[in-house]
Amino acid sequence: MSAEAALRPLSAHRSPALKGRVRVPGDKSISHRSLMFGALAIGRTTITGLLEGGDIMSTAAAMRAFGANIHRGDDGTWTVDGVGVGGLLEPAGVIDFGNAGTGVRLCMGLAAAQPIAVTFTGDGSLIKRPMGRVLDPLRKMGVDVIARSGDRLPLTMRGAMTPIPIEYTVPVPSAQVKSAVLLAGLGTPGVTTVIEPVFTRDHTERMLAGFGAAIDIETAANGARTIRLEGRPDLKPQTITVPGDPSSAAFPIVAALIVPGSDVTVEGILMNPSRIGLIDTLLEMGADITIENARETGGEKIADLRVKHSALKGVTVPPERAPLMIDEYPVLAAAAAVAEGKTVMLGIEEMRVKESDRIAAVAAGLAANGVDHEEGRDWLSVTGGKVAGGGRVVTHLDHRIAMTFLVLGLVADAPVTVDDAGVIATSFPEFEPLMRGAGALFEDAEADAA
Ligand code: S3P
């Protein structure tokens, strides 16, 4: 997966009203965890609605390399025959996670509490991303690592022969770091404790409890959460229905809000409170979003969202909301580009270590398309108005940068071109047909002159 395919440029043109009912693919965070936890259970886990994007296929390949038997039925149902906690095999080859930061970081946790050697690598984006945030606590638990300088991929780790339970306060608001330590704790005798000062997505905690792990969560008055996990449980296989990914739904939602006359319903979206900061922000901006058919499945709230074109107003998004919408700031910038006034996004430094430096990539894309903005180390502001468009956006192997600027192009005076729509398949392979089906005008564009 690391050999990058040829770039596939795509342009978005000013489009007529978007209409219809759409269904986005399964949640990426829950999909990764379904395969991983299924691989650690004893018996057969069944998954429907799994995201079949590049990132998740990397995790499926990794879990097979660790000995799990994973199968996709003709009806799209996946089964995972797990090996049990402590039962992972040493992979015979290098584990290539492609573009998937969540995949590789959680997998490092999985492999940490067994005496096996594993070599991880990834694509041109993933090998630039920091792995020290996960490796630091894993080293405390007894893991040995040989990595490129700065703890970058490729790296080889040898899991601990006698893993040590730790109490770890997560220094950055990151569900990946929290999850890696908890997953290492699964294979560690005794109680592993993770303290997160700031609430981040809680799928690991919820799903481990569902798989039968003994996990206890205490929330302090200041919001800090102390998570205690009893090591070496027997995980029981589950039947999982993966809800629609709110981070993918964000693109048709913002598109419907900004394209005049639109009326789109996005069905079956995960409404977990740790994931819907964007919806709160858009409502504050004056968005016409109605929550319909709210229901619950597998312990998670889901709903359909009916979204109509709205006259948006700029707002200030407070820093404490960042963990609840960290992947949605790029597309919020597209909404802000047409809102009346200024939208200020504060406390977003984590955006700099995603699939690309997203503050820089968004700012460059806005600049190329005539949108007024300012950028700081940990903030971005966008002043709305007419979008000139006509710019070419460098996606830096980042799916969300590609989708953001294709959405912006739907309201721009001149088409907006992204240099590679191929990267979208990591999280949302159906993006193009789904958006075209609702009325979006996309057109293949000329490749850059070499
Ligand atoms: C994820 C956590 C977030 C998010 C990523 C998915 C997860 O990363 O950006 O897309 O599934 O745990 P961080 O934990 O690094 O913030």
Side-chain angles (χ1 to χ4, degrees), residues 27-30 32-33 55 101-103 105-106 129 133 172-179 200-201 203-204 247 275 323 326-327 350 353-355 358 399-400:
D27 186 67
K28 185 151 75 71
S29 294
I30 294 180
H32 279 301
R33 288 162 174 82
D55 279 12
T102 306
R105 292 193 177 118
L106 268 56
R129 298 180 66 184
R133 50 178 54 201
V172 282
S174 167
Q176 293 177 0
V177 176
K178 165 177 68 177
S179 300
T200 64
R201 68 189 67 194
H203 307 301
T204 296
S247 300
R275 298 291 302 283
I326 192 64
D327 292 335
E350 277 295 301
V353 290
K354 296 297 175 186
E355 285 80 334
R358 284 186 174 156
H399 51 132
R400 299 200 207 282

Side-chain angles (χ1 to χ4, degrees), residues 298-365:
E300 292 281 13
K301 291 189 170 62
I302 60 171
D304 306 336
L305 297 186
R306 182 170 182 186
V307 186
K308 295 186 192 162
H309 170 251
S310 308
L312 299 177
K313 287 199 172 56
V315 294
T316 294
V317 189
E320 60 273 15
R321 199 174 294 159
L324 314 181
M325 57 175 289
I326 192 64
D327 292 335
E328 283 67 74
Y329 286 97
V331 76
L332 175 64
V338 297
E340 185 196 324
K342 196 186 254 196
T343 297
V344 185
M345 310 171 202
L346 299 172
I348 55 171
E349 62 268 45
E350 277 295 301
M351 275 182 80
R352 294 211 181 264
V353 290
K354 296 297 175 186
E355 285 80 334
S356 66
D357 174 343
R358 284 186 174 156
I359 296 182
V362 168

Side-chain angles (χ1 to χ4, degrees), residues 6 59 83 149 172 186 206 220 286 289 332 339 344 375 384 416 434 444:
T59 288
V83 295
S149 47
V172 282
L186 275 182
R206 284 174 186 255
I289 300 176
L332 175 64
V344 185
E375 159 191 4
V416 173
L434 179 148
D444 291 330

